[in-house]
Amino acid sequence: MASNKKYWQSVEELKGSSIVETLSKKEFVEEIPTDDFLGDKETLENSSTSRRDFLKYVGFTTAAASLAACEGPVRKAIPYVVKPNDVTPGVADWYATSMADGYDFANVLVKTREGRPIQIMPNKDANGTTSARVQAAVLSLYDEKLRLQEPSKGGATITWSDADKEIAAKLNELKEANKPVVLLTGTMASPSTSKIVEEFIAAYPNISHVVYDAVSESGAADAMLAMYGKRTLPNYHLDKAKTIVSFGADFLGDFHGGFEKQYIAGRKPETGDMSYHIQFESNMSLTGANSDKRLVLKPSDQVFALLNLYNIITGSNVPSKTTSVDADVNAAAKSLQKAGAKGVVLTGLNDKNAQLVALAINKALNSEIIDVNNTLNVRQGNDTEVAQLVSDMKSGKVAGLISYNVNPIYSLSNSSDFSEGLKKVELSVALSIENNETVDASTFALPTPHFLESWGDTQFDQVTYGLMQPTIQPLFNTRQIQDVLLKWTGNSVSYYEYLKGFALTNVLNGASWNTALHNGFHKKEILEVEETTVSDIVISDVASQLLKSTKASAFELNLYTKTGLGDGKQANNPWLQEFPDPLTRASWDNYLTMSIADARALGFANPVKDNGAINGDYAKVSVNGKELVVPVMVQPGQAKGSVGLALGYGRTFGLKDEMKVGVNAYTLYTNGNNIQYNVSIEKVSGTHKFACTQVQKTIAGRHDILKVATLKEYNSSADPKHSWNKPAFVSYDHNEVEASTINIWDEHNREIGHHFNLSIDLTSCTGCGACVVACHAENNVPVVGKNEVRVGRDMHWLRIDRYYSSEVETREEAKELGLSRGDTYRALETEAENPEVTFQPMMCQHCNHAPCETVCPVAATSHGRQGQNQMAYNRCVGTRYCANNCPYRVRRFNWFNYSNNNEFDFNMNNEYGKMVLNPDVVVRSRGVMEKCSMCIQMTQVTILKAKREGRAVDTDEFETACSSACTTGAMVFGDVNNEKDQVATLAKDKRAYHVLDYLQTKPNVVYQVKVRNTNEA
Amino acid sequence: MSHYEAPIREPLVLGDKSYHDITEDIAKPIEGKANKNWYIAFYISLAAMLWGFGCIFYTVGTGIGVWGLNKNIGWAWDITNFVWWVGIGHAGTLISAVLLLFRQKWRMAINRSAEAMTIFAVFQAGLFPIIHMGRPWNGYWVLPIPNQFGSLWVNFNSPLLWDVFAISTYLSVSLVFWWTGLLPDFAMIRDRAVKPFQKKIYALLSFGWSGRAKDWQRFEEVSLVLAGLATPLVLSVHTIVSMDFATSINPGWHSTIFPPYFVAGAIFSGFAMVQTLLGIMRKVTNMEDYITRMHVEYMNIVIILTGGIVAVAYATEFFIAWYTGSPYENYTYLSVGAATGPYAWAFYSLLFFNILTPQILWFKKIRRSFIWSFIISIFINIGMWFERFDIIAIVLSKGHLPSTWWRFEPTFVDVGIFIGTIGFFFVLFLLYARTFPVIAQAEVKTILKSSGEFYKKRSEQGIPTKPAIKIANLEGESDKKDKE
């Protein structure tokens, strides 16, 4: 119904008077006398601006200009015009994919927010695990400094099509002339890529494929080839092992890609039994630190001990030498024989002969632990072929080199030969994600995408077929090697189509591509392995060759890879540089580890300076006529006569200045051998500044912080409360009572709603530090740089404390020894020469009676209903009293502004690096305190999700970044009010205890006593 | 004016002063020109102050990271300096309030400067809690003022909040007390002032003091009331400061004897600082007749007493750390762990400066010596700084978890700010010495013996008794004024 109402403003309008219309056409009611003012030229010219007027104008304009300048910076937030179906702002998307960067291989899940990958977690369905490096790889995606962004030729940008044309023309020319071309790649472990390479080689028969791993495990692969006829790495099912004897194999580190998940699965004291692990090693490795019995032995003695073990086990008499640990070798042999097929011997010596001896021992034991069928593809590098290539290149026999994902100029010990040879080739193409020395020396530099931007497939072992899918549009003008090779082969199909076709025909066997892609992997039902043929190897010949190559000398160098940087691929990743080494707790450095005895004899020391930082002396290390000046870190548990040095450091090309730390140990890595004999060490002048996050090495007699029991004690019927897990007792009303029974406050009812607890099993924690980096990523923890870490200002919310045992462990022992009080303290504070090592992850304990909460004058930190100790950054004024009053010292203060600050030029200071920030967590400003929040942003998401779906939160549905990153399941998070949650049981376990329980802070983080199997044999 | 002087008591004012002499002596530094020494001292202090301000601006502009603190040691020089300055501020109130209530006439020569010192020291102390904050611009959040931040309120559980109340109360009461005492003296300066501007200023400062009997009566009453109010503050302020530590859970801080021990320590250091300042002032402003050996000796006796209490407290702390048998007490600031650890030098400095040094004051000759008193007072000032440094830095450097043991080293900014506050303190004190009556002349005049002995002595020495007439004149003048 049409309205006939009429609205009017005046009677004239209602009546329709003409004046209304006239007026409505005029802007001003009265005529503005502009003509009077401007029309008379004369007056205008005569009028002068007085001084006062002038000052007014100046004042006004200055004020206006400065006000305009005060406007806040404009930050663009562009909304979606058309919202993509699969992106809901604020809701994370997870993609299953795989990581394979040539050194780290993992089946992972990637968390993306608004199209940006922000976190990598293990794909537990695919039995995937993550290490610190895998966790940190998400930041390497956004490395705008090191990554290649555009294809270029001789330094000048070029289009992909031009590059294709020129290279294809050259390749065809070389093919016509039948001049050899080499495709040099890292390990790819990708079946479809192998096929593409085959096709490429078929199209260009003059091309040969050489695989080069910067950190070589060629020896093990060669031994497998000799004995079992295939060049792969054996797999070890350590979860089923009863006795593990390792000669320098760092299998919790990077040995064959790491076995920590299997290892810890075999070390659960709840089952009443644990594997017994003996480690013979020279460097203090993560594996040795976790072993039940650790024997320090320099590399040459490891060889002899290995041969002695072979002799005992097989009853043969191959040539060997006696060592100082023959009795222990005997004991190890007995234990192995007792374990029978459940025993296994591993060796980390990258030497075919040593590996053959180990394989022979395992064969003699009929070991079920070693698996030569379902083998590993993660290290395919062939040192012999690489050495041949370098000498061919040097002699000008190679006409073309296409390199992918390798940096031989940095990582070869004879890199000068390589660069010399590279100058002689007619065609040099470097396909690389990063701009490095080799890329720089090649004519064509072709950028490849990060694995988070790529399609692909992986095959780490023989059973699991993994898929890789992009989680973000390529950031730069990149193209995958597979696409490049397909194009050069003349195949017009895209790699995505190729991959899909390959998977459907060769792998999936009728299964759905979409399902496989969704899951990120496909388990092959039948293990497709040809029967392994066992060739007979004469071990006595092997042994004599081994003895010949073992040149026992006064100093032997054991090169190793660090948990943080590995082979150095991610050297420009600030998270990894800042990641403290689990053992030395030094960040931003590599160094020569030296035994306490040798350091004393040669005059090396690590004095603690007045600002708490550690200094070191420099040593000149000479091997094979090569010299390197390295800072020395005195390392308890290092074998006398041996020194260790980590690979992967000392990169400079293309790196940010802050990341150019350490020395390049690859220069000493002759023939890819991790053991170098005839090393001489000389002290040279200069002081090195280390950046360690922990200075005091021992527990100083405070054993209630770190409780350790033996398996025998654990299995005994004694009440743990009176033997190996004693709670604190206090005097109350003149009675000794358990501290936890006393309460000076009226408790809140904690049984309503959720109440979170985190259980940390010290037996299962290997100290790998994946949780540390996961926490970095999840919580936008800033990186502060070497100088700040050095003075004790690292910002890690989660750290892993490492304690060495001391020769004198308790005050009672000291009393028996008759030590004075001062000497007692010194004895308790000084680490043993070959100490036992214990790791203790430490983060905010979320005390129900939190000492920090009462002392904040502005109530910026308070207790949550779900047990969290919460920190309101906005309210914090920064008195730091909470940090002083925290007995666990887990609070971290923002000493400076760590974001958008050129003094801290890390990922939070550039637009690419900021893309990794978790939008759910605020970036803290300077002057405020921060700390672990128990990932409240994650628990809230879980709660809200359940609420939206109209259900209760599932059992074990709650997670934190650290608990989901934990490979071994040492960290378990959950709701203790849900009886079915694993943590509810763990919180009441007989191994459960609270750190510093005598303070009655009632933490919500509960530790499980570390159990060592030291009673065996 | 029939003041009885016991023959065994020393006179409080030397030099056979007449009333007028006192007026002249006290007014001289204000009315005369400053000497070269004053200017030298002033410019040095000013330079130090400006340097300190520069360091403060640098800190506020850049972040607390410019100090030497770290993740395990959240306080060091900042709170050390805070407690040290608050402690120094203690003597003023004790001298003016407690000694007033106990009718200790000797306080009259020193209370003005002691109180000035208190106020200036509390200024310095008050700086630190503000600048040690990570975000000092939000410092007002510690005040319980109604706000629009939501239902945010301060945390009354926090000792830091108690500090805010304690220090601000102390400062305001001390200021009022000091000013009340200053009123008649300002009026005296006003009455003598020749320059109109000066006269105006002092007229304002004296709040229109007229010298009537009613004024004096009220003055006496207010003084007594304020003394009564201020006396508990002597105990409360440092008790509360000590609770910053005592209510925490750090071994070495968590100690029930802290309140009395801190109060004693504060008086100890306060008297030492009064000794230091008066040692300089009596020379610079020619107050030798008013600040005598007897004053020095009395103050030294207080120092021996409070120093003794402090020494007993140290012994108790050391004993208890051992007696608990707890491994966590092994490294408190008074323990074998501290004595053998990296901070042994600080540990022994504390013992030397605070326990050994004051003991030589048992010798009468030394405690009556100006120069020895001066030296010892400086030693005690240093020692008391070390006490606070030891409590804070040594305790924090060896926390519960050995993995968190760390050390502290100050940066130039830490040092600069400390020096800056010393400079600021002396700038204020030197300005005070030139513009304020440094001795409570009105009060001193009440203890002047003006019997016939005085005139007799004078006539014997052949000095004309003119001053007496002058006093009469003066009194006549003020009478006149009253009539106006």
Side-chain angles (χ1 to χ4, degrees):
Chain A
M1 195 180 83
S3 167
N4 53 4
K5 274 185 191 164
K6 189 179 175 188
Y7 297 92
W8 44 275
Q9 286 177 311
S10 63
V11 183
E12 283 76 17
E13 194 184 334
L14 182 67
K15 285 177 183 164
S17 168
S18 62
I19 187 151
V20 175
E21 202 182 331
T22 327
L23 281 174
S24 70
K25 281 180 184 159
K26 280 192 199 164
E27 190 176 359
F28 302 102
V29 179
E30 280 171 26
E31 209 57 51
I32 305 287
T34 42
D35 280 350
D36 293 357
F37 187 64
L38 296 170
D40 188 353
K41 282 250 164 76
E42 219 167 282
T43 345
L44 209 60
E45 276 162 14
N46 289 343
S47 73
S48 61
T49 310
S50 70
R51 189 182 59 87
R52 287 175 64 108
D53 284 342
F54 174 75
L55 287 175
K56 275 187 219 163
Y57 300 146
V58 170
F60 174 76
T61 44
T62 316
S66 47
L67 272 178
C70 284
E71 198 185 331
V74 178
R75 298 192 64 88
K76 290 176 203 139
I78 303 164
Y80 287 119
V81 179
V82 180
K83 188 182 90 71
N85 277 335
D86 49 353
V87 174
T88 308
V91 176
D93 281 322
W94 288 83
Y95 293 96
T97 186
S98 309
M99 173 176 182
D101 74 348
Y103 194 64
D104 288 302
F105 299 87
N107 297 105
V108 296
L109 297 176
V110 179
K111 181 185 185 183
T112 66
R113 275 293 298 268
E114 285 85 70
R116 297 175 289 114
I118 59 168
Q119 190 159 46
I120 296 178
M121 280 294 169
N123 186 353
K124 287 176 181 162
D125 293 339
N127 219 9
T129 61
T130 56
S131 63
R133 294 193 298 271
V134 177
Q135 288 281 343
V138 68
L139 183 56
S140 295
L141 165 69
Y142 300 112
D143 187 352
E144 111 285 16
K145 170 88 173 122
L146 190 62
R147 282 192 60 181
L148 274 182
Q149 306 191 358
E150 291 285 340
S152 66
K153 181 191 175 188
T157 307
I158 184 175
T159 63
W160 273 104
S161 54
D162 287 349
D164 284 340
K165 242 181 264 165
E166 289 187 33
I167 294 167
K170 188 75 195 169
L171 278 176
N172 281 318
E173 184 192 318
L174 293 172
K175 182 174 141 188
E176 298 305 320
N178 198 21
K179 286 186 182 168
V181 176
V182 172
L183 173 66
L184 180 68
T185 71
T187 300
M188 294 188 282
S190 161
S192 65
T193 312
S194 301
K195 189 149 177 267
I196 290 172
V197 170
E198 270 170 40
E199 288 167 10
F200 182 55
I201 290 172
Y204 298 95
N206 59 326
I207 295 184
S208 55
H209 183 200
V210 175
V211 181
Y212 165 56
D213 286 331
V215 177
S216 163
E217 295 203 46
S218 206
D222 288 341
M224 278 292 282
L225 182 68
M227 195 174 268
Y228 296 104
K230 54 182 175 184
R231 212 176 169 283
T232 51
L233 300 179
N235 206 342
Y236 295 94
H237 303 297
L238 297 180
D239 46 338
K240 300 190 190 93
K242 265 190 120 63
T243 299
I244 303 166
V245 179
S246 159
F247 292 87
D250 187 12
F251 56 81
L252 300 183
D254 292 318
F255 174 79
H256 295 10
F259 294 93
E260 70 265 38
K261 190 168 187 171
Q262 296 89 319
Y263 174 74
I264 290 300
R267 290 174 68 81
K268 298 283 179 197
E270 293 79 19
T271 61
D273 201 11
M274 286 166 74
S275 62
Y276 177 53
H277 172 197
I278 310 165
Q279 181 89 358
F280 296 87
E281 65 178 5
S282 53
N283 293 350
M284 171 67 95
S285 72
L286 212 52
T287 314
N290 280 287
S291 64
D292 297 311
K293 191 172 177 186
R294 185 176 178 277
L295 295 147
V296 291
L297 212 52
K298 62 184 196 174
S300 56
D301 283 343
Q302 286 175 33
V303 172
F304 306 141
L306 180 68
L307 289 170
N308 290 340
L309 182 69
Y310 174 81
N311 282 342
I312 299 167
I313 297 277
T314 59
S316 48
N317 194 17
V318 301
S320 178
K321 286 182 186 166
T322 55
T323 65
S324 56
V325 295
D326 282 348
D328 298 294
V329 173
N330 256 323
K334 273 204 193 95
S335 176
L336 277 172
Q337 277 160 341
K338 210 170 95 189
K342 302 269 185 209
V344 69
V345 176
L346 305 90
T347 174
L349 302 162
N350 185 24
D351 180 296
K352 182 184 162 188
N353 296 324
Q355 294 289 345
L356 276 173
V357 175
L359 287 178
I361 297 174
N362 286 326
K363 206 163 74 178
L365 288 169
N366 281 323
S367 174
E368 293 166 6
I369 307 308
I370 187 167
D371 187 342
V372 293
N373 295 319
N374 183 16
T375 51
L376 299 171
N377 298 330
V378 294
R379 304 275 187 274
Q380 298 171 357
N382 190 326
D383 288 350
T384 328
E385 286 179 19
V386 173
Q388 186 60 43
L389 169 68
V390 174
S391 68
D392 284 354
M393 278 170 69
K394 201 183 169 193
S395 58
K397 283 185 209 154
V398 179
L401 183 81
I402 302 166
S403 67
Y404 168 62
N405 195 24
V406 288
N407 185 9
I409 296 187
Y410 161 71
S411 59
L412 272 178
S413 63
N414 50 346
S415 65
S416 56
D417 292 353
F418 183 88
S419 11
E420 202 182 309
L422 196 59
K423 282 180 199 133
K424 292 182 185 162
V425 301
E426 295 172 40
L427 172 69
S428 57
V429 181
L431 287 148
S432 175
I433 182 173
E434 59 174 30
N435 188 13
N436 56 36
E437 294 88 340
T438 310
V439 172
D440 188 54
S442 303
T443 317
F444 288 93
L446 305 179
T448 56
H450 190 259
F451 76 91
L452 291 173
E453 304 164 315
S454 310
W455 287 102
D457 60 355
T458 55
Q459 182 91 58
F460 306 146
D461 59 15
Q462 308 306 320
V463 188
T464 315
Y465 177 76
L467 282 165
M468 190 188 282
Q469 61 175 320
T471 56
I472 186 173
Q473 282 280 342
L475 293 170
F476 306 115
N477 189 8
T478 53
R479 200 204 272 166
Q480 291 185 237
I481 182 174
Q482 293 91 344
D483 274 320
V484 171
L485 294 185
L486 283 170
K487 196 147 243 164
W488 294 349
T489 316
N491 195 339
S492 61
V493 73
S494 76
Y495 175 57
Y496 167 66
E497 294 296 334
Y498 186 95
L499 171 68
K500 198 172 166 184
F502 175 86
L504 284 170
T505 43
N506 295 318
V507 187
L508 295 178
N509 207 7
S512 151
W513 159 258
N514 280 347
T515 310
L517 193 60
H518 168 270
N519 295 342
F521 70 102
H522 175 78
K523 277 258 190 271
K524 291 185 187 172
E525 278 167 24
I526 318 146
L527 184 57
E528 298 162 16
V529 274
E530 65 270 44
E531 266 314 297
T532 38
T533 49
V534 184
S535 351
D536 275 330
I537 305 282
V538 186
I539 294 298
S540 55
D541 295 351
V542 169
S544 49
Q545 278 179 39
L546 186 56
L547 281 181
K548 208 184 286 169
S549 63
T550 305
K551 304 182 190 82
S553 46
F555 271 109
E556 297 168 8
L557 173 66
N558 188 354
L559 294 153
Y560 68 105
T561 51
K562 283 230 265 182
T563 313
L565 232 47
D567 68 343
K569 275 211 171 59
Q570 297 191 59
N572 205 34
N573 188 321
W575 290 351
L576 290 178
Q577 290 281 11
E578 187 127 317
F579 174 80
D581 185 86
L583 288 153
T584 60
R585 301 211 71 197
S587 61
W588 297 93
D589 248 326
N590 68 341
Y591 32 74
L592 197 69
T593 57
M594 189 181 280
S595 72
I596 296 175
D598 287 333
R600 207 178 291 135
L602 295 174
F604 290 102
N606 289 134
V608 183
K609 303 312 287 178
D610 284 340
N611 59 2
I614 287 179
N615 281 0
D617 303 310
Y618 284 106
K620 190 161 80 184
V621 184
S622 320
V623 194
N624 290 332
K626 283 180 183 159
E627 282 176 357
L628 206 56
V629 175
V630 201
V632 171
M633 177 77 85
V634 182
Q635 173 69 56
Q638 178 84 29
K640 192 171 177 298
S642 76
V643 286
L645 182 60
L647 300 163
Y649 281 82
R651 275 182 72 174
T652 50
F653 188 91
L655 264 60
K656 274 189 182 164
D657 287 344
E658 292 85 352
M659 317 282 177
K660 292 175 185 170
V661 290
V663 293
N664 184 1
Y666 281 114
T667 54
L668 308 180
Y669 194 46
T670 313
N671 299 328
N673 203 336
N674 59 347
I675 310 296
Q676 300 288 334
Y677 298 106
N678 295 323
V679 177
S680 67
I681 287 162
E682 188 191 327
K683 189 174 171 178
V684 291
S685 65
T687 306
H688 184 79
K689 292 178 170 180
F690 284 116
C692 291
T693 58
Q694 180 182 349
V695 172
Q696 171 58 34
K697 297 188 169 91
T698 72
I699 198 78
R702 299 175 176 184
H703 293 286
D704 55 338
I705 294 172
L706 195 61
K707 294 184 184 172
V708 182
T710 63
L711 184 63
K712 198 171 171 190
E713 283 171 328
Y714 177 80
N715 283 335
S716 74
S717 54
D719 181 6
K721 284 200 170 179
H722 292 99
S723 50
W724 50 271
N725 190 8
K726 278 185 202 142
F729 280 87
V730 291
S731 178
Y732 187 70
D733 278 348
H734 307 285
N735 292 317
E736 285 280 303
V737 293
E738 209 176 303
S740 58
T741 58
I742 308 296
N743 209 341
I744 60 169
W745 283 293
D746 292 332
E747 287 278 353
H748 292 289
N749 184 0
R750 298 193 208 287
E751 281 160 18
I752 304 165
H754 304 293
H755 190 86
F756 297 123
N757 263 27
L758 175 65
S759 161
I760 300 172
D761 186 347
L762 299 179
T763 313
S764 297
C765 176
T766 63
C768 74
C771 51
V772 175
V773 182
C775 179
H776 239 302
E778 174 66 31
N779 292 304
N780 302 337
V781 174
V783 172
V784 295
K786 184 175 181 182
N787 290 333
E788 289 293 297
V789 174
R790 174 173 161 80
V791 295
R793 289 177 181 168
D794 58 283
M795 296 297 285
H796 294 127
W797 285 9
L798 162 55
R799 60 171 199 262
I800 302 182
D801 288 342
R802 179 269 301 125
Y803 293 107
Y804 293 134
S805 63
S806 42
E807 301 287 0
V808 179
E809 278 281 85
T810 59
R811 293 210 287 189
E812 290 70 35
E813 273 177 50
K815 213 173 219 172
E816 279 168 28
L817 291 170
L819 295 181
S820 75
R821 194 153 271 262
D823 287 342
T824 302
Y825 294 161
R826 222 161 291 131
L828 292 174
E829 287 169 34
T830 311
E831 66 280 10
E833 295 225 354
N834 180 23
E836 281 186 354
V837 189
T838 323
F839 298 103
Q840 183 171 46
M842 184 56 66
M843 73 293 280
C844 176
Q845 303 286 298
H846 295 275
C847 311
N848 287 330
H849 291 169
C852 53
E853 287 169 13
T854 53
V855 298
C856 176
V858 295
T861 185
S862 54
H863 215 67
R865 205 70 188 84
Q866 300 161 341
Q868 302 107 331
N869 168 257
Q870 298 170 337
M871 182 71 220
Y873 307 124
N874 285 355
R875 178 64 171 169
C876 178
V877 295
T879 66
R880 300 184 295 287
Y881 195 174
C882 52
N884 288 338
N885 208 30
C886 172
Y888 310 97
R889 291 283 195 278
V890 292
R891 289 179 157 261
R892 294 288 178 264
F893 187 68
N894 284 271
W895 302 104
F896 296 102
N897 230 357
Y898 295 121
S899 60
N900 300 324
N901 184 347
N902 291 335
E903 300 287 320
F904 298 93
D905 189 16
F906 306 107
N907 64 305
M908 285 210 268
N909 194 37
N910 69 68
E911 290 305 316
Y912 280 102
K914 280 187 216 162
M915 287 169 80
V916 86
L917 294 178
N918 182 357
D920 290 335
V921 179
V922 72
V923 172
R924 282 73 64 183
S925 74
R926 84 168 155 96
V928 305
M929 195 57 79
E930 60 179 70
K931 57 154 202 85
C932 161
S933 66
M934 249 185 188
C935 287
I936 190 167
Q937 69 281 2
M938 292 176 73
T939 56
Q940 280 307 106
V941 164
T942 310
I943 291 168
L944 293 174
K945 193 172 163 226
K947 194 176 173 185
R948 203 173 56 236
E949 292 168 7
R951 59 175 171 89
V953 176
D954 284 344
T955 299
D956 288 328
E957 193 181 350
F958 285 115
E959 268 187 313
T960 57
C962 52
S963 72
S964 35
C966 186
T967 300
T968 60
M971 283 178 166
V972 177
F973 180 75
D975 178 2
V976 281
N977 285 348
N978 179 358
E979 280 174 19
K980 287 179 201 145
D981 264 18
Q982 209 187 334
V983 77
T985 327
L986 286 170
K988 294 180 208 130
D989 195 272
K990 64 173 176 171
R991 282 202 289 144
Y993 76 98
H994 290 136
V995 172
L996 299 175
D997 57 346
Y998 89 99
L999 287 172
Q1000 264 311 284
T1001 51
K1002 294 188 180 284
N1004 282 319
V1005 176
V1006 56
Y1007 289 83
Q1008 310 287 333
V1009 174
K1010 182 173 177 81
V1011 179
R1012 278 202 179 94
N1013 188 7
T1014 42
N1015 293 103
E1016 178 99 15
Chain B
M1 301 271 181
S2 56
H3 179 79
Y4 172 71
E5 190 178 277
I8 51 160
R9 285 214 175 160
E10 290 175 65
L12 290 167
V13 180
L14 302 178
D16 294 333
K17 301 284 181 189
S18 70
Y19 290 108
H20 182 65
D21 291 340
I22 294 175
T23 307
E24 287 287 334
D25 287 346
I26 308 295
K28 200 160 67 186
I30 302 169
E31 292 166 350
K33 279 214 159 51
N35 58 19
K36 208 171 138 195
N37 287 340
W38 186 90
Y39 276 107
I40 292 171
F42 182 75
Y43 284 126
I44 292 174
S45 309
L46 190 70
M49 179 182 99
L50 293 176
W51 176 244
F53 281 1
C55 288
I56 290 173
F57 285 132
Y58 180 48
T59 306
V60 174
T62 315
I64 302 294
V66 299
W67 296 357
L69 302 172
N70 54 59
K71 61 184 174 186
N72 299 321
I73 301 176
W75 292 341
W77 277 43
D78 46 358
I79 302 300
T80 300
N81 297 340
F82 161 67
V83 182
W84 187 68
W85 279 117
V86 173
I88 283 170
H90 258 67
T93 325
L94 186 94
I95 290 166
S96 53
V98 179
L99 297 188
L100 174 84
L101 293 181
F102 285 107
R103 304 266 183 248
Q104 294 296 310
K105 302 283 184 194
W106 61 273
R107 77 183 170 85
M108 289 171 179
I110 56 171
N111 74 340
R112 173 70 39 77
S113 293
E115 279 180 63
M117 180 199 78
T118 293
I119 286 157
F120 301 151
V122 173
F123 277 168
Q124 312 311 321
L127 264 179
F128 286 100
I130 297 168
I131 61 166
H132 99 294
M133 288 183 189
R135 303 199 294 173
W137 47 92
N138 290 332
Y140 67 97
W141 288 356
V142 301
L143 302 173
I145 44 175
N147 60 66
Q148 298 184 338
F149 308 138
S151 57
L152 285 176
W153 202 234
V154 290
N155 179 7
F156 287 101
N157 291 329
S158 169
L160 288 189
L161 192 75
W162 310 341
D163 266 358
V164 172
F165 300 139
I167 304 291
S168 52
T169 309
Y170 187 59
L171 179 65
S172 40
V173 171
S174 299
L175 197 63
V176 170
F177 200 8
W178 184 50
W179 210 269
T180 310
L182 273 165
L183 292 176
D185 294 3
F186 276 144
M188 181 270 280
I189 307 282
R190 172 198 66 196
D191 292 347
R192 288 171 55 99
V194 192
K195 295 175 196 151
F197 179 70
Q198 222 177 16
K199 209 174 188 76
K200 186 117 192 157
I201 293 291
Y202 284 105
L204 278 173
L205 293 178
S206 61
F207 289 0
W209 177 270
S210 62
R212 285 173 305 181
K214 201 71 191 166
D215 280 8
W216 284 108
Q217 186 211 342
R218 285 174 181 148
F219 174 80
E220 292 288 339
E221 282 169 1
V222 167
S223 298
L224 204 64
V225 168
L226 284 176
L229 277 177
T231 303
L233 290 181
V234 177
L235 301 175
S236 73
V237 178
H238 234 61
T239 297
I240 286 171
V241 169
S242 80
M243 285 174 181
D244 287 349
F245 306 107
T247 63
S248 84
I249 59 161
N250 289 315
W253 285 11
H254 184 81
S255 176
T256 45
I257 67 161
F258 264 31
Y261 148 42
F262 264 51
V263 171
I267 296 166
F268 182 52
S269 71
F271 268 87
M273 194 52 135
V274 175
Q275 287 278 37
T276 312
L277 286 180
L278 294 186
I280 300 168
M281 205 184 74
R282 65 185 286 282
K283 277 280 171 208
V284 176
T285 55
N286 303 318
M287 297 290 172
E288 285 98 334
D289 288 339
Y290 301 94
I291 301 159
T292 65
R293 278 185 202 283
M294 193 211 61
H295 289 100
V296 168
E297 184 182 12
Y298 280 15
M299 286 194 283
N300 279 337
I301 289 168
V302 177
I303 286 174
I304 295 176
L305 174 72
T306 49
I309 298 174
V310 169
V312 170
Y314 289 171
T316 312
E317 288 279 272
F318 197 93
F319 169 75
I320 292 293
W322 166 80
Y323 186 64
T324 57
S326 161
Y328 298 96
E329 299 273 342
N330 287 351
Y331 299 95
T332 61
Y333 70 104
L334 284 164
S335 64
V336 179
T340 55
Y343 286 105
W345 57 274
F347 174 86
Y348 289 111
S349 300
L350 171 65
L351 297 193
F352 171 76
F353 287 120
N354 268 4
I355 296 189
L356 287 183
T357 315
Q359 301 316 318
I360 53 171
L361 291 173
W362 289 103
F363 299 102
K364 187 157 187 160
K365 219 171 197 167
I366 285 171
R367 77 172 175 260
R368 286 183 67 84
S369 151
F370 288 113
I371 187 72
W372 274 107
S373 299
F374 183 73
I375 293 169
I376 289 167
S377 75
I378 288 190
F379 273 32
I380 293 170
N381 285 326
I382 296 171
M384 285 309 290
W385 190 89
F386 269 111
E387 179 195 297
R388 280 63 176 254
F389 176 77
D390 285 9
I391 289 176
I392 295 170
I394 296 183
V395 166
L396 289 180
S397 75
K398 296 257 164 102
H400 280 94
L401 303 188
S403 69
T404 65
W405 290 2
W406 208 270
R407 289 191 205 171
F408 170 82
E409 188 181 46
T411 64
F412 80 94
V413 185
D414 284 300
V415 182
I417 291 176
F418 181 47
I419 289 172
T421 55
I422 294 173
F424 190 14
F425 177 79
F426 276 100
V427 162
L428 290 173
F429 199 83
L430 287 167
L431 287 176
Y432 150 84
R434 294 272 300 121
T435 51
F436 281 48
V438 292
I439 284 175
Q441 54 91 22
E443 288 198 75
V444 170
K445 281 175 186 169
T446 64
I447 52 167
L448 200 65
K449 200 170 177 251
S450 57
S451 63
E453 288 289 312
F454 172 72
Y455 296 99
K456 200 175 146 196
K457 221 187 236 170
R458 287 220 167 192
S459 61
E460 272 166 14
Q461 287 163 352
I463 303 167
T465 53
K466 211 176 166 192
I469 299 161
K470 215 173 180 183
I471 291 163
N473 279 347
L474 262 177
E475 279 166 355
E477 268 170 33
S478 59
D479 283 344
K480 229 188 278 168
K481 211 166 191 178
D482 281 353
K483 275 165 207 160
E484 283 165 9

